[in-house]
């Protein structure tokens, strides 16, 4: 190993050691708790939609609910810090902490944790936007994004790829739930009475979230196929579209309840999960 490579390796070790601190662990766990709360609020909004009530059943709508209380600004900035810490923790998982893994697992970790870094970071930016007064409709944002993509030379296949990617993430959640792939995150409950309850929450929550993501991804594909970007409205639009179907309200209630289950599971993950 050359002197330059040795210096880079030592620097990476130092950064990894710095990232493996109690402070980052606490902030990252609080980020998981924030995400849990968002899922529970989205679930409650979805159930309310089934009964004809207004609301946005996605992260922006949930953040708006949090901002509407007397402690709104303090809550929003606290969530910015929590989500930023969680995003940084995922970034360290994708890069520094994955270095000892075999090549294939290292690549998988880079993709999965890298995606979560972007996802949690975007939620943190949404909280920051609300904190400084920048608020918008998620459906309009998604429609604008779809319109911009379709107006590019490779817009049609690109928007289809976006939709299929979202659906792929949805399938991942369904499979993870049915196979109980989350159990390694909460191994301390293995064989215990409370473990069955945690398993039930995990299965129900992951499957419900996966179904919702598949619906949202399907709208991207439909918008691309019909060249109608206004039909691409994200998670909120896909759930609202269910109200027009005979059994839609029942499915909305089921998905909403599933999101609440996922939120409760994520709270347990925040407190007891392996970091």
């Amino acid at each position: 190993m050359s002197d330059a490579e040795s210096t880079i390796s030592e620097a990476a070790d130092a950064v990894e050691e710095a990232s493996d601190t109690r402070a980052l662990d606490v902030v990252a766990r609080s980020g998981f708790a924030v995400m849990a709360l968002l899922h529970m609020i989205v679930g409650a909004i979805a159930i309310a939609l089934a009964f004809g009530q207004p609301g946005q059943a996605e992260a922006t709508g949930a953040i708006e609910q949090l901002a509407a209380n007397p402690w709104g600004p303090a809550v929003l900035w606290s969530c910015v810090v929590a989500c930023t810490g969680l995003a940084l923790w995922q970034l360290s998982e994708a890069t520094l902490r994955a270095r000892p893994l075999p090549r294939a697992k290292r690549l998988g970790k880079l993709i999965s944790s890298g995606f979560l870094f972007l996802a949690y970071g975007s939620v943190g930016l949404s909280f920051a936007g609300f904190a400084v007064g920048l608020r918008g409709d998620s459906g309009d944002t998604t429609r604008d994004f779809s319109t911009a993509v379709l107006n590019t030379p490779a817009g049609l296949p690109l928007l289809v790829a976006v939709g299929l990617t979202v659906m792929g993430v949805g399938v991942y959640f369904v499979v993870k739930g049915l196979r109980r792939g989350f159990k390694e995150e909460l191994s301390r409950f293995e064989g215990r009475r409370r473990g069955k309850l945690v398993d039930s929450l995990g299965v129900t929550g992951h499957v419900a979230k996966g179904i919702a993501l598949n619906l949202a991804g399907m709208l991207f594909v439909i918008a691309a196929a019909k060249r109608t970007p206004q039909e691409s409205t994200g998670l909120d639009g896909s759930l609202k579209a269910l109200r027009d179907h005979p059994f839609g309200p029942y499915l909305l209630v089921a998905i909403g309840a599933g999101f609440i289950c996922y939120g409760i599971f994520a709270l347990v993950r925040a407190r007891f999960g392996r970091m």
Side-chain angles (χ1 to χ4, degrees):
M1 180 181 293
S2 66
D3 291 341
E5 291 176 334
S6 177
T7 301
I8 293 174
S9 179
E10 290 176 1
D13 289 338
V15 174
E16 180 181 358
E17 184 177 352
S19 70
D20 191 20
T21 62
R22 175 65 177 169
L24 182 59
D25 180 87
V26 171
V27 175
R29 288 184 185 276
S30 66
F32 276 121
V34 169
M35 299 304 298
L37 182 58
L38 290 182
H39 279 85
M40 287 189 281
I41 295 175
V42 169
I45 294 174
I47 293 174
L49 289 176
F51 294 96
Q53 299 299 312
Q56 294 185 56
E58 43 72 59
T60 303
I63 295 172
E64 187 174 18
Q65 294 289 329
L66 290 174
N69 68 81
W71 298 91
V75 171
L76 292 177
W77 284 116
S78 296
C79 291
V80 171
V81 174
C83 290
T84 301
L86 181 56
L88 291 175
W89 181 80
Q90 288 291 352
L91 180 61
S92 70
E93 284 281 292
T95 55
L96 298 173
R97 302 185 190 190
R99 289 185 302 152
L101 298 176
R103 183 181 181 85
K105 289 186 177 180
R106 190 166 66 247
L107 178 60
K109 195 66 175 175
L110 177 63
I111 295 173
S112 60
S113 292
F115 173 81
L116 291 174
F117 161 71
L118 295 175
Y120 295 143
S122 66
V123 174
L125 288 175
S126 296
F127 272 111
F130 270 79
V132 299
L134 300 177
R135 306 183 181 190
D137 183 271
S138 63
D140 290 341
T141 302
T142 307
R143 279 188 288 267
D144 291 343
F145 168 78
S146 299
T147 301
V149 170
L150 280 177
N151 287 335
T152 63
L156 182 60
L158 186 57
L159 193 59
V160 170
V162 170
L164 293 177
T165 299
V166 175
M167 293 176 69
V169 175
V171 171
Y172 165 79
F173 271 94
V174 172
V175 173
K176 183 177 181 179
L178 294 177
R179 289 188 173 183
R180 292 171 169 78
F182 51 81
K183 294 187 72 169
E184 63 180 18
E185 301 168 1
L186 290 164
S187 57
R188 65 176 296 164
F189 291 103
E190 187 71 27
R192 299 185 181 185
R193 183 184 303 174
R194 283 180 293 182
K196 294 182 179 180
L197 175 60
V198 173
D199 278 0
S200 298
L201 290 171
V203 172
T204 304
H206 280 80
V207 171
K209 183 172 181 177
I211 292 173
L213 288 173
N214 270 282
L215 292 173
M218 196 179 299
L219 288 185
F220 280 110
V221 176
I222 292 174
K226 297 171 65 176
R227 293 185 179 275
T228 53
Q230 65 270 18
E231 294 191 29
S232 175
T233 52
L235 177 60
D236 177 62
S238 65
L239 294 180
K240 287 178 178 176
L242 289 176
R243 294 184 299 188
D244 299 329
H245 296 275
F247 296 100
Y250 301 102
L251 186 56
L252 260 179
V253 171
I255 291 176
F259 265 73
I260 293 173
C261 288
Y262 185 90
I264 297 173
F265 170 84
L267 273 181
V268 177
R269 166 78 173 87
R271 175 64 180 86
F272 300 105
R274 177 182 57 81
M275 298 294 286

